[in-house]
Amino acid sequence: MASKVRRGPRQIYAAFQWSMKGLSACFRHEASFRLEVFLALVVVPLGLWVGHGPIEKIVLITFPMLVLSAELLNSAIEAVVDKVSPEFHELAGRAKDMGSAAVFLLLVMVVASWALILIPRYLS
């Protein structure tokens, strides 16, 4: 069923404000997110500088941004799990571990993409 809510600049602006509120909350409350933001502030401009051509630049900056996105989702999962089930439960722990694993896999992709692009360039 189609939404009856009007869409327009006001709703787009409200969505933008909610997104900024989420980024701010994650930055304030999640040490991992802060660390990954600071790393992205280094590697994204560096990727734009060292990348040869648009494809390399896209690869070098996309994965760090995906890490930030996954960390936001992981933090959201952890917050909901902690709210719903403050005591330890195996499924709650599993959900948190899986979110953490998603972030880890993307961090591996950052290292792999940088290595695959830069190592051959500097070893030749």
Side-chain angles (χ1 to χ4, degrees), residues 76-87:
I77 290 168
E78 289 180 353
V80 170
V81 166
D82 289 345
K83 170 70 175 164
V84 172
S85 178
E87 70 281 346

Side-chain angles (χ1 to χ4, degrees), residues 8-71:
R10 251 187 244 138
Q11 287 74 26
I12 293 170
Y13 182 68
F16 173 77
Q17 287 182 312
W18 296 324
S19 296
M20 293 303 105
K21 188 176 176 182
L23 284 169
S24 175
C26 199
F27 191 84
R28 249 184 290 120
H29 298 288
E30 298 293 332
S32 296
F33 185 71
R34 283 191 299 273
L35 175 63
E36 290 157 357
V37 165
F38 293 132
L39 289 172
L41 287 173
V42 172
V43 298
V44 168
L46 190 61
L48 291 171
W49 183 57
V50 301
H52 289 172
I55 301 299
E56 280 189 10
K57 290 179 183 194
I58 289 169
V59 168
L60 293 175
I61 67 170
T62 298
F63 286 118
M65 299 307 291
L66 287 173
V67 168
L68 294 177
S69 299
E71 187 63 52

